Amino acid sequence: MKKLLYILVFALFPLLNGCGIYNFTGSTPLDPKIKTFQVNYFQNNADLIQPGIERTFTNRLQELIQNQTNLSLTSSGGDLVYEGEITDFRISPMTATADQKAAQNRLTVTVNVRYTNKFKEEDDFEKPFTFFYDYEGQEQLVGGQLTTALDDIFERITQDIFNASLAKW
């Protein structure tokens, strides 16, 4: 009896996901007309330039959407279009020690995103997405430390963009 229950449960998962009742990414089902998405290159327009982050961010957003939807990536004419720019890359001291040195610093990255849905204009938006990474004041934000910081920041920002555009959260 228990074996039969497991078989039924596993058989129903794909049906629930495929029929539009439920989607395991937590997003609402997409309009069946939507087949493609396009992520244009995000320029780095921040005052403090960190080379290469625009390419990394663009790739991360493409990968997230590919991994969490069944949409095909296209270079032009996408049903959904993501474009924008990195507008802020800033390092700020957060706390100080008794001898007036930074005990903790914060890297903040802001990305302005313009989202266009070819089939549902009321879903279009333009807005900034920001996240930060805190690190020890005596550490330099280079190499592995910078990679870790950017990984954390981009993971959060890309997920926030996905949620705002496709999951409607």
Side-chain angles (χ1 to χ4, degrees):
M1 184 67 179
K2 215 174 195 183
K3 200 177 209 183
L4 180 62
L5 180 63
Y6 285 129
I7 291 171
L8 282 173
V9 168
F10 285 115
L12 287 177
F13 277 149
L15 292 174
L16 288 174
N17 193 33
C19 70
I21 294 172
Y22 185 75
N23 186 323
F24 290 105
T25 63
S27 64
T28 56
L30 291 173
D31 185 329
K33 294 181 282 193
I34 298 173
K35 303 284 186 216
T36 61
F37 75 99
Q38 171 183 339
V39 178
N40 293 337
Y41 189 74
F42 279 74
Q43 294 291 325
N44 190 350
N45 295 336
D47 291 336
L48 179 60
I49 300 291
Q50 179 63 42
I53 66 169
E54 64 278 4
R55 179 178 38 83
T56 303
F57 178 78
T58 302
N59 291 340
R60 290 285 177 81
L61 184 57
Q62 289 173 346
E63 290 168 6
L64 178 80
I65 296 168
Q66 282 181 313
N67 291 338
Q68 294 193 14
T69 69
N70 60 354
L71 301 176
S72 299
L73 177 63
T74 184
S75 58
S76 64
D79 299 332
L80 306 177
V81 178
Y82 296 84
E83 56 190 354
E85 54 279 331
I86 297 171
T87 57
D88 194 21
F89 182 93
R90 179 175 10 111
I91 298 172
S92 311
M94 295 307 297
T95 57
T97 63
D99 59 349
Q100 301 300 319
K101 293 183 181 174
Q104 187 177 38
N105 289 325
R106 173 173 286 178
L107 169 63
T108 304
V109 177
T110 302
V111 180
N112 187 54
V113 177
R114 288 177 297 283
Y115 167 76
T116 307
N117 182 330
K118 184 165 89 172
F119 297 108
K120 198 171 179 184
E121 289 183 19
E122 61 269 17
D123 285 353
D124 296 358
F125 64 79
E126 178 174 359
K127 64 182 186 178
F129 293 87
T130 301
F131 200 65
F132 61 88
Y133 179 84
D134 292 336
Y135 62 98
E136 295 298 317
Q138 66 272 12
E139 294 179 5
Q140 292 293 317
L141 197 57
V142 295
Q145 178 83 2
L146 178 60
T147 301
T148 299
L150 290 174
D151 284 349
D152 286 358
I153 291 170
F154 289 165
E155 180 180 343
R156 177 63 179 268
I157 291 176
T158 56
Q159 191 63 56
D160 287 349
I161 293 167
F162 179 87
N163 290 345
S165 61
L166 297 174
K168 306 293 188 268
W169 289 3

